[in-house]
Amino acid sequence: STAAVSIHAPTRGATEQLLLAPIRSYLFQSTRPRGARLDTRWRNFDIGGKCVIFSSPSSYEIGTISSKTDSQITLAVNLQASWPAGSMVYPILAGRIRNEQTYELILDDMSKAEIRIDEEFDSNIVRNIGDGSDYPLFKGYPLFLKKPNWNDKLELGFIHPYDRLEFLGKSISISHFDETEFRLNKTHLSPSRIDLWDYIEIFDLCMGRWGNLWFSSHQQDIQILEGFGANATQLRIGNVEFPSYWLYKWAGSHLMIEWPDGGFACVSIAGFNVPDTLLLQSQIGRAASNAEARRLAVSFLYLGRFHQDEIEIDYITDDMGSISLSLQTCLRETPGNES
């Protein structure tokens, strides 16, 4: 159809050119009609960048952002046209279409495609990069506490590289890893724009796979048998053969204790008293009754990093999105285990 051809032709001809594409998931409404949102936060409206007031493919106006507040955008040059209250405003991504594009031909007059555009760096744009201050710290590193989407698969991998030498039938295996590392692949379903922005902030804070953070196993690794006080430094636990597999191991040196109301405590393990008592390096900081203790989620807490340098948000609505993350442990870097 004419519509299909109108997309195929410019896409084919613009592969090497710099394009301006509106980020449609970052909708902002220009003036506040009754009941409408008016919020520039948690969107890429960047000073020095561009935005577009959009009505239709043939009715729009582009401007450069000179300043902004949480509820207002100021342009470097006045608009040429008058726009009604509630007009749609989007930030603009300046970039280039990737050098390979594929269209799925559904009918002779219908097709669909996923067009990917890579951003072009512009030193004049002032990026709004979060500092990760919303994330609590444990031993100097941020705690990544976001829950996975349990409706999607959660994969736990084991990594223990080794070298194997073999000559005339004899062989030997050598590894430079003291412990097996873990890799956790999971998806997160984010219900709000501010929650989505939290993922971008922690990813920017860690600079992809460069920086460290804490994350839990998301498993019920330990069962606490009885209640404890806020100043407790011991925990009675169920039989998980802790001395055999986890005591004095980096992978078993820290725990996250989570209460049903969302409260949590992070503790470090100092030792173990037979038959069932964990010794902690510090007080827990919150009490739990005998009944509460059986409902606590207790997981191993790992120091690790992102196993990716890019994250992709799949927007379901303007405010809801799905994010796939891969995290890997860095057990030898775990603080408090230098001995």
Side-chain angles (χ1 to χ4, degrees):
S1 69
T2 303
V5 173
S6 67
I7 297 296
H8 293 180
T11 303
R12 178 175 178 272
T15 303
E16 299 178 5
Q17 299 177 17
L18 183 65
L19 302 177
L20 301 180
I23 308 177
R24 291 193 174 265
S25 56
Y26 284 0
L27 173 64
F28 169 81
Q29 292 183 297
S30 58
T31 11
R32 189 196 303 268
R34 179 172 295 180
R37 294 176 306 172
L38 189 63
D39 202 337
T40 65
R41 294 176 298 170
W42 314 304
R43 295 163 172 83
N44 284 115
F45 287 104
D46 299 314
I47 296 174
K50 297 184 183 298
C51 64
V52 58
I53 302 178
F54 183 87
S55 176
S56 70
S58 60
S59 178
Y60 61 90
E61 189 169 348
I62 296 175
T64 300
I65 301 171
S66 62
S67 65
K68 70 170 186 174
T69 66
D70 289 347
S71 60
Q72 180 175 299
I73 294 172
T74 302
L75 301 180
V77 178
N78 290 335
L79 296 171
Q80 299 300 307
S82 297
W83 296 89
S87 295
M88 294 180 292
V89 182
Y90 302 100
I92 282 181
L93 175 72
R96 302 178 192 274
I97 296 177
R98 292 190 177 180
N99 57 12
E100 290 188 11
Q101 297 293 325
T102 301
Y103 283 85
E104 181 182 343
L105 305 180
I106 302 171
L107 297 172
D108 61 354
D109 62 350
M110 183 183 297
S111 63
K112 69 177 181 179
E114 182 180 278
I115 299 176
R116 292 179 172 265
I117 299 176
D118 292 326
E119 183 179 12
E120 185 86 354
F121 176 73
D122 187 341
S123 60
N124 295 318
I125 296 177
V126 180
R127 290 293 186 211
N128 180 24
I129 297 177
D131 57 5
S133 58
D134 291 339
Y135 286 87
L137 299 180
F138 179 60
K139 294 183 178 291
Y141 296 101
L143 284 160
F144 184 61
L145 305 177
K146 299 290 188 182
K147 298 298 182 184
N149 178 12
W150 288 102
N151 289 325
D152 204 345
K153 63 181 179 180
L154 190 69
E155 297 179 337
L156 178 64
F158 299 93
I159 308 159
H160 199 121
Y162 65 91
D163 297 316
R164 183 168 180 265
L165 304 178
E166 184 175 358
F167 183 71
L168 295 179
K170 294 186 176 182
S171 65
I172 184 173
S173 297
I174 302 172
S175 176
H176 300 288
F177 282 67
D178 298 317
E179 291 186 31
T180 298
E181 301 281 353
F182 303 119
R183 184 174 298 159
L184 195 62
N185 297 323
K186 53 183 180 172
T187 60
H188 294 259
L189 188 62
S190 184
S192 66
R193 183 166 299 283
I194 185 172
D195 191 62
L196 282 170
W197 202 257
D198 284 342
Y199 289 93
I200 298 174
E201 283 204 347
I202 189 68
F203 194 73
D204 282 340
L205 178 67
C206 292
M207 293 188 283
R209 71 180 73 211
W210 182 84
N212 291 119
L213 74 167
W214 295 97
F215 63 93
S216 78
S217 68
H218 298 303
Q219 298 293 294
Q220 184 71 17
D221 294 311
I222 301 290
Q223 178 67 53
I224 297 178
L225 299 180
E226 65 180 19
F228 50 84
N231 60 351
T233 57
Q234 296 183 1
L235 290 173
R236 286 194 61 227
I237 65 170
N239 182 18
V240 291
E241 299 183 85
F242 192 89
S244 300
Y245 293 104
W246 303 107
L247 186 61
Y248 305 127
K249 302 290 186 183
W250 289 321
S253 59
H254 303 286
L255 296 177
M256 171 173 282
I257 306 172
E258 297 179 83
W259 277 257
D261 63 2
F264 69 92
C266 299
V267 295
S268 301
I269 296 171
F272 186 84
N273 280 347
V274 177
D276 59 8
T277 303
L278 276 181
L279 306 180
L280 309 178
Q281 293 182 9
S282 61
Q283 297 178 359
I284 297 173
R286 178 172 173 174
S289 66
N290 287 333
E292 287 179 314
R294 291 174 173 81
R295 299 174 57 203
L296 297 178
V298 185
S299 308
F300 287 123
L301 188 64
Y302 306 127
L303 186 74
R305 57 176 173 80
F306 288 104
H307 188 63
Q308 59 197 119
D309 287 317
E310 296 180 357
I311 57 173
E312 185 173 301
I313 301 175
D314 183 11
Y315 282 94
I316 302 168
T317 68
D318 285 346
D319 293 322
M320 179 181 292
S322 178
I323 304 172
S324 296
L325 295 178
S326 180
L327 298 165
Q328 181 170 321
T329 58
C330 301
L331 297 180
R332 296 189 67 176
E333 299 175 25
T334 303
N337 295 286
E338 292 78 5
S339 60

